[in-house]
Amino acid sequence: MTDDSRKRPAPDGTEPADAEATWRRDVLGPALADRGERQDEFVTQQMHWPLKDLYTSRDLDEIGFDPGKDLGFPGEFPYTRGTNPAGYRQDLWTMLQVTGFGTATDSAERWSKMLDQGLNGFIIEYDLPTTNGYDSDHPLAEGEVARAGTAIDTLADMEQALDLPWDKLQHLSSVCNAPQPVNLAMILAALEKRDIDPASFTLQMSNAILIEYTCVGRYIYPPKHGLRIATDCIEYTIRNHANWIPISVVSAQLYAARATPVQELAFGFSIAMEYLDATLARGFEIDEVAPYWSFITGLEMDFFEAIAKLRAYRKIWARLMKERYGAKREESLRLRLMSSPGTTGLTLQQPLNNIARLGIQTLACALGGGAYAITTPLHDEAHALPSEEAVRVGIAVQNIVAHETGVADTIDPLAGSYLLETMTRRMEDEVFAEIEKVDAMGGALAAIEAGYFQKELARSQRARFSEIEDGTRKQIGVNHLVQADEKRSIETFKLGETAERQQLARLARVRADRDDAVVAKTLDRVREAASGDENLVPPILDAVKAYATQGEICDVMREVFGVYHPDSLTSGV
Amino acid sequence: MANRKIRVLLAKLGLDSHTVGITVIAGALRDAGMEVIYTGLRQTPDMVVQAAVQEDADVIGISSLSGAQMQHIPKLLDRLRSAEADDKLVVVGGVIPDEDAAELKAAGVDEVFTMGARTEDIATFIRTWWEAERR
Amino acid sequence: MERDPIVLAERALGGHQGAGARLIRMLEEGDEGATEGLRAVLPSAGRAHLLGVTGPPGAGKSTLVDRMAAEYRRRGSRVGIIAVDPSSPFTGGAVLGDRVRMHDHAADPGVFIRSMATRGQLGGLARATFEATTVLDAMGYDVVLIETVGVGQDEVDVADLAHTTVVVSIPGMGDDVQAIKAGILEIADLFVVNKADLPGADRVAKHIGAALHMRAAPIDAWQPPILMTEAERAGGIVDVIDGIDAHRAHLRSSGGLDRKVIRRRERVFHDVLRERAAARALACAPRQGAEILSAMRSGELDPYTAVEALLGVEA
């Protein structure tokens, strides 16, 4: 077999049609003759798509892959190769870290330290009473105050939390969905008090209430009122703070609820379009608002699925905006996507293994291209609240990928990969099919009210757990290479017990010092606005400035909108 | 008696709203033939005790992922005792550090299942207890 | 772990919720001694107004029941609630999630909520729903609300059990007729069109009105009102409770209540007769019974002849 045609490229540069058959017969066959492959079948980790042993140019022919149409150039439609024309050769991604603990004073100290360590922005996470619209002295808040994030009851807390080295800060994210208008008002009022120019940095609000109904559970009002409140925030921000980002579709939450990539994209885009339609109904043109939409996603351990997912995100968004909404501006078509290694891939067992996982996922984020910001969770996050050591390692992991691996030094190095392009296309097709299914139900709000997303996610959750239980999906330290007598002695962040007491004292002080008559008057205005269709942000801003508490403001809206309690039909249980 | 069923009350205390774990457990226990009463989010210890009594639940399962377990669960155990309902099996699942788990067990929790526990093992644990205590 | 039905009955009548719950549990399990406990509480029953709430899935029954309970509490009544959910036909397990919507009553001892699984029972109720309502009635709950499964079957059994039956429908179910099938139409003492803020609510109400016109005149000349609610915001609930009170007054003055009570007694009698007679027939001659069953399974005897043969066996 010296004159083997498979070694000779055909005149047009492609391999001759029978080369693969020859290889299978003469090379692969004999190699597998004694022992077959190590598994009966190979499938992707999340979609369970069958994987062939080898992908070739023929796979691309089969799907009619067209580099011009499917890839384009970096910074061009459909943005598969990234939204930034220069990739990471001009700027690396923004390095962020999710954090926020204790009282506002504790948090400000920690954040300042992180900015000094080389981050240029961070995400403020609030404690559960704050994200659920309760004050720290509410009976349900007991034991939760300042535990999972920062406690903000009144403007006084926000003023304290934003005591930061503002010259180093470029980007601030605030995750507070159900009470988002209150949170926005608190930030605005605090900036005014501190004399900070709101245009000097980017505030990104999650404002992602529809996701909360779908899987996270930190909702307050029934879904349609949740949507109205979110739309009020979006409208107010676009009209008054044009450089801020008033909406993030936190599809990372879907991912964390074990959505498959197809579910994550389809549900996430359907939800994004629900906000978009509600905003357009306020009298905007698509190109005025679409550029504000942003997504936050998380990645799984299946490396190629993860990269395909990031590429499909950009491509599908560009197509939806162009084909469905007739958007024309590049900024409308170009998806803003923040991605992070996902916490669900992390394990409680053998927690140091998580550092390896974070490294691999961060690499996938970078290779998936065009993520304008990457956050790293912390390797001990699966265990308890993160320690300072974990914060340092998290920042280091991002810098290692950025500076030591070379993946950021040429633009979109993986384009054209037989496997990856095949996978990206399949993802695109399946996502569109699922979006159409949601359309047929009447869109995301209707699908949420009917419990569709919730039930679909519950199904994925069960499947995922049983795979790990029966070992069909290997997780090191959990069902493979298990350490029998593992001691879990990882250092975790312990919250000072005084935080809750201090917060309660501060709240009591604010309540005592303010003018209750003014508070009552501003709250009446909020009630009036909520009952009609006036934008809620301005009256809430007045209430915040009068030092009305977050719980008081949310209670007024509870009276008007009602409180949401989904049953098993709509909760997925 | 063919019609005897294990009744399990599943609840989340306080403001912790992570429902993935409890959703999976609810499904798994249903598939193990149990009747699962799900009370939803934002429960206080008093609410859980009242529900467990009215439903005559054999088992109370609490899922905790927010880190506030030491705040709520001892209170729950206390209320169960004053309601003369402390003959029920109390199991806790979620993100529970070892030292908290030990403390909870000392306070009267029957078992703690941390993240990564197999649903099958949880169902078996409940059934074994039930066969011994209630059958 | 008290399981003496007489002790449980006494304590339940004394207001002990755990004892009442245990008695219901034993009745549901078909515990042989439990009937004794039921007999012990029976003299105290018969005071509560029994209220059935039925309708298709997604109609918002749980939320409506929750808001109705709140209104009854406001009026000073103690409320029992029985919420029925389906059992899995494959595993026999169930997830009972109706308490979630009844969150606001979860710490109110004046509201007794019991979730029940159907355990194979058809018709929208659970196996011991009748017995459970009797226990709650005897324990002094002034009104007992029974929420049916809501899987869209003909859930008409609740009318045998309740004094007043509320049928809930909502706009946007697609097929208007589907929402108010003939059987359902006949059992309704009150119609509620929930989610009345949605488009099409008026059309549903009109459709029900037209269908009511066509049905045979009801025996006691009660004209079911059609009420609009927005249960999520508690809108229209006061009217629903007023409507139920009006129906209750009508039942009392027209003698309809006696008819309902008789109907309920008959239903219980026949259910228990069927169950116990069958059990006894099978138990009285275990050996011949087994032989007849196996002959029936193999096709040697047809099922009809097999029954006759079994009933003909001398004990």
Side-chain angles (χ1 to χ4, degrees), chain C residues 270-284 310-311:
Chain C
H270 286 296
D271 280 358
V272 175
L273 175 65
R274 194 176 307 124
E275 193 178 303
R276 301 244 165 127
R280 229 163 264 181
L282 284 167
C284 79
L310 186 67
L311 293 178

mmCIF file with all atom_site columns, all heavy atoms in Angstrom, chain C residues 270-284 310-311:
data_model
loop_
_atom_site.group_PDB
_atom_site.id
_atom_site.type_symbol
_atom_site.label_atom_id
_atom_site.label_alt_id
_atom_site.label_comp_id
_atom_site.label_asym_id
_atom_site.label_entity_id
_atom_site.label_seq_id
_atom_site.pdbx_PDB_ins_code
_atom_site.Cartn_x
_atom_site.Cartn_y
_atom_site.Cartn_z
_atom_site.occupancy
_atom_site.B_iso_or_equiv
_atom_site.pdbx_formal_charge
_atom_site.auth_seq_id
_atom_site.auth_comp_id
_atom_site.auth_asym_id
_atom_site.auth_atom_id
_atom_site.pdbx_PDB_model_num
ATOM 1   N N   . HIS C 1 270 ? -73.406 2.933   49.933 1.00 0.00 ? 270 HIS C N   1
ATOM 2   C CA  . HIS C 1 270 ? -73.104 2.080   48.787 1.00 0.00 ? 270 HIS C CA  1
ATOM 3   C C   . HIS C 1 270 ? -71.605 1.849   48.625 1.00 0.00 ? 270 HIS C C   1
ATOM 4   O O   . HIS C 1 270 ? -71.179 0.740   48.319 1.00 0.00 ? 270 HIS C O   1
ATOM 5   C CB  . HIS C 1 270 ? -73.714 2.668   47.508 1.00 0.00 ? 270 HIS C CB  1
ATOM 6   C CG  . HIS C 1 270 ? -75.199 2.486   47.446 1.00 0.00 ? 270 HIS C CG  1
ATOM 7   N ND1 . HIS C 1 270 ? -75.792 1.243   47.377 1.00 0.00 ? 270 HIS C ND1 1
ATOM 8   C CD2 . HIS C 1 270 ? -76.220 3.382   47.491 1.00 0.00 ? 270 HIS C CD2 1
ATOM 9   C CE1 . HIS C 1 270 ? -77.110 1.374   47.355 1.00 0.00 ? 270 HIS C CE1 1
ATOM 10  N NE2 . HIS C 1 270 ? -77.410 2.672   47.439 1.00 0.00 ? 270 HIS C NE2 1
ATOM 11  N N   . ASP C 1 271 ? -70.826 2.900   48.837 1.00 0.00 ? 271 ASP C N   1
ATOM 12  C CA  . ASP C 1 271 ? -69.364 2.740   48.717 1.00 0.00 ? 271 ASP C CA  1
ATOM 13  C C   . ASP C 1 271 ? -68.851 1.713   49.723 1.00 0.00 ? 271 ASP C C   1
ATOM 14  O O   . ASP C 1 271 ? -68.071 0.820   49.385 1.00 0.00 ? 271 ASP C O   1
ATOM 15  C CB  . ASP C 1 271 ? -68.651 4.081   48.973 1.00 0.00 ? 271 ASP C CB  1
ATOM 16  C CG  . ASP C 1 271 ? -68.688 4.966   47.741 1.00 0.00 ? 271 ASP C CG  1
ATOM 17  O OD1 . ASP C 1 271 ? -69.229 4.515   46.710 1.00 0.00 ? 271 ASP C OD1 1
ATOM 18  O OD2 . ASP C 1 271 ? -68.180 6.104   47.811 1.00 0.00 ? 271 ASP C OD2 1
ATOM 19  N N   . VAL C 1 272 ? -69.313 1.883   50.958 1.00 0.00 ? 272 VAL C N   1
ATOM 20  C CA  . VAL C 1 272 ? -68.812 0.994   52.004 1.00 0.00 ? 272 VAL C CA  1
ATOM 21  C C   . VAL C 1 272 ? -69.316 -0.424  51.774 1.00 0.00 ? 272 VAL C C   1
ATOM 22  O O   . VAL C 1 272 ? -68.580 -1.395  51.923 1.00 0.00 ? 272 VAL C O   1
ATOM 23  C CB  . VAL C 1 272 ? -69.219 1.519   53.404 1.00 0.00 ? 272 VAL C CB  1
ATOM 24  C CG1 . VAL C 1 272 ? -68.815 0.535   54.496 1.00 0.00 ? 272 VAL C CG1 1
ATOM 25  C CG2 . VAL C 1 272 ? -68.588 2.880   53.649 1.00 0.00 ? 272 VAL C CG2 1
ATOM 26  N N   . LEU C 1 273 ? -70.594 -0.513  51.369 1.00 0.00 ? 273 LEU C N   1
ATOM 27  C CA  . LEU C 1 273 ? -71.164 -1.834  51.094 1.00 0.00 ? 273 LEU C CA  1
ATOM 28  C C   . LEU C 1 273 ? -70.345 -2.552  50.026 1.00 0.00 ? 273 LEU C C   1
ATOM 29  O O   . LEU C 1 273 ? -69.964 -3.717  50.188 1.00 0.00 ? 273 LEU C O   1
ATOM 30  C CB  . LEU C 1 273 ? -72.623 -1.689  50.627 1.00 0.00 ? 273 LEU C CB  1
ATOM 31  C CG  . LEU C 1 273 ? -73.305 -2.997  50.197 1.00 0.00 ? 273 LEU C CG  1
ATOM 32  C CD1 . LEU C 1 273 ? -73.456 -3.952  51.386 1.00 0.00 ? 273 LEU C CD1 1
ATOM 33  C CD2 . LEU C 1 273 ? -74.670 -2.723  49.569 1.00 0.00 ? 273 LEU C CD2 1
ATOM 34  N N   . ARG C 1 274 ? -70.086 -1.836  48.951 1.00 0.00 ? 274 ARG C N   1
ATOM 35  C CA  . ARG C 1 274 ? -69.354 -2.434  47.831 1.00 0.00 ? 274 ARG C CA  1
ATOM 36  C C   . ARG C 1 274 ? -67.994 -2.936  48.318 1.00 0.00 ? 274 ARG C C   1
ATOM 37  O O   . ARG C 1 274 ? -67.596 -4.066  48.060 1.00 0.00 ? 274 ARG C O   1
ATOM 38  C CB  . ARG C 1 274 ? -69.176 -1.388  46.731 1.00 0.00 ? 274 ARG C CB  1
ATOM 39  C CG  . ARG C 1 274 ? -68.739 -1.976  45.397 1.00 0.00 ? 274 ARG C CG  1
ATOM 40  C CD  . ARG C 1 274 ? -68.682 -0.899  44.327 1.00 0.00 ? 274 ARG C CD  1
ATOM 41  N NE  . ARG C 1 274 ? -69.904 -0.130  44.210 1.00 0.00 ? 274 ARG C NE  1
ATOM 42  C CZ  . ARG C 1 274 ? -69.986 1.204   44.319 1.00 0.00 ? 274 ARG C CZ  1
ATOM 43  N NH1 . ARG C 1 274 ? -68.911 1.923   44.552 1.00 0.00 ? 274 ARG C NH1 1
ATOM 44  N NH2 . ARG C 1 274 ? -71.143 1.820   44.192 1.00 0.00 ? 274 ARG C NH2 1
ATOM 45  N N   . GLU C 1 275 ? -67.306 -2.091  49.052 1.00 0.00 ? 275 GLU C N   1
ATOM 46  C CA  . GLU C 1 275 ? -65.964 -2.436  49.477 1.00 0.00 ? 275 GLU C CA  1
ATOM 47  C C   . GLU C 1 275 ? -65.956 -3.602  50.463 1.00 0.00 ? 275 GLU C C   1
ATOM 48  O O   . GLU C 1 275 ? -65.218 -4.566  50.304 1.00 0.00 ? 275 GLU C O   1
ATOM 49  C CB  . GLU C 1 275 ? -65.335 -1.195  50.109 1.00 0.00 ? 275 GLU C CB  1
ATOM 50  C CG  . GLU C 1 275 ? -63.854 -1.321  50.308 1.00 0.00 ? 275 GLU C CG  1
ATOM 51  C CD  . GLU C 1 275 ? -63.284 -0.036  50.905 1.00 0.00 ? 275 GLU C CD  1
ATOM 52  O OE1 . GLU C 1 275 ? -63.472 1.032   50.290 1.00 0.00 ? 275 GLU C OE1 1
ATOM 53  O OE2 . GLU C 1 275 ? -62.683 -0.113  51.988 1.00 0.00 ? 275 GLU C OE2 1
ATOM 54  N N   . ARG C 1 276 ? -66.823 -3.483  51.458 1.00 0.00 ? 276 ARG C N   1
ATOM 55  C CA  . ARG C 1 276 ? -66.801 -4.501  52.516 1.00 0.00 ? 276 ARG C CA  1
ATOM 56  C C   . ARG C 1 276 ? -67.367 -5.829  52.028 1.00 0.00 ? 276 ARG C C   1
ATOM 57  O O   . ARG C 1 276 ? -66.860 -6.893  52.382 1.00 0.00 ? 276 ARG C O   1
ATOM 58  C CB  . ARG C 1 276 ? -67.617 -4.031  53.723 1.00 0.00 ? 276 ARG C CB  1
ATOM 59  C CG  . ARG C 1 276 ? -67.084 -2.737  54.292 1.00 0.00 ? 276 ARG C CG  1
ATOM 60  C CD  . ARG C 1 276 ? -66.562 -2.914  55.695 1.00 0.00 ? 276 ARG C CD  1
ATOM 61  N NE  . ARG C 1 276 ? -65.769 -1.740  56.020 1.00 0.00 ? 276 ARG C NE  1
ATOM 62  C CZ  . ARG C 1 276 ? -65.942 -0.998  57.081 1.00 0.00 ? 276 ARG C CZ  1
ATOM 63  N NH1 . ARG C 1 276 ? -66.886 -1.323  57.971 1.00 0.00 ? 276 ARG C NH1 1
ATOM 64  N NH2 . ARG C 1 276 ? -65.180 0.045   57.304 1.00 0.00 ? 276 ARG C NH2 1
ATOM 65  N N   . ALA C 1 277 ? -68.440 -5.769  51.238 1.00 0.00 ? 277 ALA C N   1
ATOM 66  C CA  . ALA C 1 277 ? -69.045 -7.007  50.748 1.00 0.00 ? 277 ALA C CA  1
ATOM 67  C C   . ALA C 1 277 ? -68.036 -7.771  49.901 1.00 0.00 ? 277 ALA C C   1
ATOM 68  O O   . ALA C 1 277 ? -67.890 -8.985  50.029 1.00 0.00 ? 277 ALA C O   1
ATOM 69  C CB  . ALA C 1 277 ? -70.310 -6.694  49.952 1.00 0.00 ? 277 ALA C CB  1
ATOM 70  N N   . ALA C 1 278 ? -67.344 -7.031  49.071 1.00 0.00 ? 278 ALA C N   1
ATOM 71  C CA  . ALA C 1 278 ? -66.346 -7.676  48.216 1.00 0.00 ? 278 ALA C CA  1
ATOM 72  C C   . ALA C 1 278 ? -65.251 -8.300  49.081 1.00 0.00 ? 278 ALA C C   1
ATOM 73  O O   . ALA C 1 278 ? -64.849 -9.450  48.864 1.00 0.00 ? 278 ALA C O   1
ATOM 74  C CB  . ALA C 1 278 ? -65.753 -6.656  47.255 1.00 0.00 ? 278 ALA C CB  1
ATOM 75  N N   . ALA C 1 279 ? -64.782 -7.527  50.062 1.00 0.00 ? 279 ALA C N   1
ATOM 76  C CA  . ALA C 1 279 ? -63.718 -8.044  50.916 1.00 0.00 ? 279 ALA C CA  1
ATOM 77  C C   . ALA C 1 279 ? -64.191 -9.287  51.657 1.00 0.00 ? 279 ALA C C   1
ATOM 78  O O   . ALA C 1 279 ? -63.472 -10.276 51.767 1.00 0.00 ? 279 ALA C O   1
ATOM 79  C CB  . ALA C 1 279 ? -63.287 -6.959  51.910 1.00 0.00 ? 279 ALA C CB  1
ATOM 80  N N   . ARG C 1 280 ? -65.425 -9.222  52.142 1.00 0.00 ? 280 ARG C N   1
ATOM 81  C CA  . ARG C 1 280 ? -65.933 -10.353 52.919 1.00 0.00 ? 280 ARG C CA  1
ATOM 82  C C   . ARG C 1 280 ? -66.134 -11.582 52.046 1.00 0.00 ? 280 ARG C C   1
ATOM 83  O O   . ARG C 1 280 ? -65.808 -12.697 52.434 1.00 0.00 ? 280 ARG C O   1
ATOM 84  C CB  . ARG C 1 280 ? -67.255 -9.960  53.585 1.00 0.00 ? 280 ARG C CB  1
ATOM 85  C CG  . ARG C 1 280 ? -67.246 -10.320 55.054 1.00 0.00 ? 280 ARG C CG  1
ATOM 86  C CD  . ARG C 1 280 ? -68.319 -9.614  55.812 1.00 0.00 ? 280 ARG C CD  1
ATOM 87  N NE  . ARG C 1 280 ? -67.816 -8.396  56.444 1.00 0.00 ? 280 ARG C NE  1
ATOM 88  C CZ  . ARG C 1 280 ? -68.570 -7.599  57.187 1.00 0.00 ? 280 ARG C CZ  1
ATOM 89  N NH1 . ARG C 1 280 ? -69.861 -7.870  57.372 1.00 0.00 ? 280 ARG C NH1 1
ATOM 90  N NH2 . ARG C 1 280 ? -68.047 -6.550  57.751 1.00 0.00 ? 280 ARG C NH2 1
ATOM 91  N N   . ALA C 1 281 ? -66.682 -11.368 50.852 1.00 0.00 ? 281 ALA C N   1
ATOM 92  C CA  . ALA C 1 281 ? -66.907 -12.499 49.951 1.00 0.00 ? 281 ALA C CA  1
ATOM 93  C C   . ALA C 1 281 ? -65.591 -13.208 49.651 1.00 0.00 ? 281 ALA C C   1
ATOM 94  O O   . ALA C 1 281 ? -65.531 -14.437 49.601 1.00 0.00 ? 281 ALA C O   1
ATOM 95  C CB  . ALA C 1 281 ? -67.563 -12.010 48.657 1.00 0.00 ? 281 ALA C CB  1
ATOM 96  N N   . LEU C 1 282 ? -64.549 -12.422 49.484 1.00 0.00 ? 282 LEU C N   1
ATOM 97  C CA  . LEU C 1 282 ? -63.250 -13.012 49.172 1.00 0.00 ? 282 LEU C CA  1
ATOM 98  C C   . LEU C 1 282 ? -62.639 -13.677 50.403 1.00 0.00 ? 282 LEU C C   1
ATOM 99  O O   . LEU C 1 282 ? -61.905 -14.662 50.289 1.00 0.00 ? 282 LEU C O   1
ATOM 100 C CB  . LEU C 1 282 ? -62.293 -11.949 48.627 1.00 0.00 ? 282 LEU C CB  1
ATOM 101 C CG  . LEU C 1 282 ? -62.560 -11.536 47.179 1.00 0.00 ? 282 LEU C CG  1
ATOM 102 C CD1 . LEU C 1 282 ? -61.795 -10.269 46.828 1.00 0.00 ? 282 LEU C CD1 1
ATOM 103 C CD2 . LEU C 1 282 ? -62.202 -12.667 46.213 1.00 0.00 ? 282 LEU C CD2 1
ATOM 104 N N   . ALA C 1 283 ? -62.942 -13.123 51.576 1.00 0.00 ? 283 ALA C N   1
ATOM 105 C CA  . ALA C 1 283 ? -62.282 -13.611 52.782 1.00 0.00 ? 283 ALA C CA  1
ATOM 106 C C   . ALA C 1 283 ? -62.980 -14.815 53.380 1.00 0.00 ? 283 ALA C C   1
ATOM 107 O O   . ALA C 1 283 ? -62.368 -15.609 54.091 1.00 0.00 ? 283 ALA C O   1
ATOM 108 C CB  . ALA C 1 283 ? -62.192 -12.483 53.811 1.00 0.00 ? 283 ALA C CB  1
ATOM 109 N N   . CYS C 1 284 ? -64.305 -14.998 53.114 1.00 0.00 ? 284 CYS C N   1
ATOM 110 C CA  . CYS C 1 284 ? -65.045 -15.992 53.884 1.00 0.00 ? 284 CYS C CA  1
ATOM 111 C C   . CYS C 1 284 ? -64.691 -17.414 53.484 1.00 0.00 ? 284 CYS C C   1
ATOM 112 O O   . CYS C 1 284 ? -64.862 -18.347 54.257 1.00 0.00 ? 284 CYS C O   1
ATOM 113 C CB  . CYS C 1 284 ? -66.548 -15.729 53.829 1.00 0.00 ? 284 CYS C CB  1
ATOM 114 S SG  . CYS C 1 284 ? -67.311 -16.294 52.315 1.00 0.00 ? 284 CYS C SG  1
ATOM 115 N N   . LEU C 1 310 ? -68.601 -17.356 43.445 1.00 0.00 ? 310 LEU C N   1
ATOM 116 C CA  . LEU C 1 310 ? -68.044 -16.908 44.714 1.00 0.00 ? 310 LEU C CA  1
ATOM 117 C C   . LEU C 1 310 ? -69.162 -16.603 45.709 1.00 0.00 ? 310 LEU C C   1
ATOM 118 O O   . LEU C 1 310 ? -69.107 -16.977 46.878 1.00 0.00 ? 310 LEU C O   1
ATOM 119 C CB  . LEU C 1 310 ? -67.175 -15.664 44.492 1.00 0.00 ? 310 LEU C CB  1
ATOM 120 C CG  . LEU C 1 310 ? -66.412 -15.162 45.723 1.00 0.00 ? 310 LEU C CG  1
ATOM 121 C CD1 . LEU C 1 310 ? -65.343 -16.157 46.136 1.00 0.00 ? 310 LEU C CD1 1
ATOM 122 C CD2 . LEU C 1 310 ? -65.782 -13.804 45.458 1.00 0.00 ? 310 LEU C CD2 1
ATOM 123 N N   . LEU C 1 311 ? -70.194 -15.892 45.235 1.00 0.00 ? 311 LEU C N   1
ATOM 124 C CA  . LEU C 1 311 ? -71.287 -15.521 46.133 1.00 0.00 ? 311 LEU C CA  1
ATOM 125 C C   . LEU C 1 311 ? -72.083 -16.748 46.571 1.00 0.00 ? 311 LEU C C   1
ATOM 126 O O   . LEU C 1 311 ? -72.728 -16.734 47.616 1.00 0.00 ? 311 LEU C O   1
ATOM 127 C CB  . LEU C 1 311 ? -72.210 -14.505 45.461 1.00 0.00 ? 311 LEU C CB  1
ATOM 128 C CG  . LEU C 1 311 ? -71.567 -13.124 45.200 1.00 0.00 ? 311 LEU C CG  1
ATOM 129 C CD1 . LEU C 1 311 ? -72.543 -12.206 44.479 1.00 0.00 ? 311 LEU C CD1 1
ATOM 130 C CD2 . LEU C 1 311 ? -71.109 -12.479 46.500 1.00 0.00 ? 311 LEU C CD2 1
#
